[in-house]
């Protein structure tokens, strides 16, 4: 089934260093905020890609960020939004 409301979704971790790239795909559901990176701390040394496209379920997102909430992304960030 389709996910219910999710306040915050992270492609990374809460507080961890990540060596490498992150690719986050979101294809349905309701979200307050989507972050490609980490929440509070840690560094992502690779790039971050966030792909948001309705495929399976209805899709509602208030805000989308390529990087983290309070955390650092040292590589490139890329956000792709489709219908």
């Amino acid at each position: 089934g389709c996910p219910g409301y999710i306040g915050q979704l992270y492609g990374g971790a809460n507080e961890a260093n990540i060596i490498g790239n992150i690719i986050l795909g979101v294809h349905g559901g309701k979200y307050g905020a989507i972050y490609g990176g980490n929440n509070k701390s840690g560094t992502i040394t690779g790039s971050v890609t966030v792909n948001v496209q309705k495929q399976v379920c209805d899709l509602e997102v208030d805000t989308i960020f390529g990087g983290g909430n309070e955390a650092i992304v040292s590589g490139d960030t890329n956000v792709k939004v489709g219908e």
Side-chain angles (χ1 to χ4, degrees):
C2 300
Y5 179 79
I6 298 173
Q8 295 179 330
L9 176 67
Y10 296 93
N14 189 43
E15 300 179 49
N17 291 326
I18 298 176
I19 299 170
N21 300 324
I22 293 175
I23 299 173
L24 173 62
V26 179
H27 304 292
K30 296 180 182 181
Y31 303 89
I34 295 174
Y35 297 90
N38 291 347
N39 182 16
K40 296 187 180 237
S41 65
T43 300
I44 298 168
T45 59
S47 64
V48 175
T49 301
V50 180
N51 296 313
V52 178
Q53 183 175 19
K54 177 184 169 189
Q55 290 185 355
V56 179
C57 306
D58 288 340
L59 179 61
E60 295 179 28
V61 180
D62 293 333
T63 53
I64 304 170
F65 302 93
N69 184 12
E70 299 174 15
I72 297 169
V73 174
S74 64
D76 294 331
T77 60
N78 185 14
V79 175
K80 299 175 186 175
V81 179
E83 293 185 17

